[in-house]
């Protein structure tokens, strides 16, 4: 059981659709629930994920779907603010 858990975690870390869509920053790509939408698009046989989402679909979208849905839900307030045009001028360091 422990090995199965490690394999699932390794697959999640290498192919999270939410992380891929956040890194893509493609103009016109969906923002709200983007990772979940990418997984569902791939599961339904979508052909052109790179053109639509700016990111490749994970190899195992069914395995990635629960984690992407959770992460997209946690990031929902930020993605809604992004869609309505609120921007943050965050800076860090000293």
């Amino acid at each position: 059981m422990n090995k199965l858990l490690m394999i699932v975690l390794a697959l999640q870390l290498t192919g999270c659709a939410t992380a891929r869509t956040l890194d893509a920053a493609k103009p016109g790509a969906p923002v709200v629930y983007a990772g979940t939408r990418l997984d569902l698009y791939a599961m339904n046989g979508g052909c052109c994920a790179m053109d639509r989402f700016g990111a490749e679909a994970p190899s195992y979208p069914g395995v990635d779907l629960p984690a992407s849905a959770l992460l997209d839900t946690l990031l929902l307030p930020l993605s809604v603010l992004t869609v309505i045009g609120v921007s943050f001028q965050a800076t860090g360091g000293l």
Side-chain angles (χ1 to χ4, degrees):
M1 182 67 181
N2 198 14
K3 288 183 181 181
L4 179 63
L5 180 63
M6 294 302 289
I7 291 171
V8 169
L9 286 175
L11 287 173
Q12 288 294 339
L13 293 175
T14 59
C16 181
T18 300
R20 288 180 183 193
T21 56
L22 289 174
D23 287 342
K26 182 180 188 298
V31 177
V32 177
Y33 279 96
T36 303
R37 292 165 75 176
L38 175 58
D39 284 334
L40 292 173
Y41 182 77
M43 289 171 65
N44 289 318
C47 68
C48 312
M50 184 62 87
D51 293 336
R52 183 169 177 159
F53 294 90
E56 289 294 330
S59 302
Y60 302 99
V63 174
D64 182 61
L65 184 62
S68 287
L70 176 66
L71 188 56
D72 282 333
T73 301
L74 292 173
L75 296 174
L76 184 61
L78 295 175
S79 59
V80 168
L81 289 173
T82 301
V83 168
I84 63 175
V86 176
S87 63
F88 298 99
Q89 300 299 325
T91 58
L94 297 174

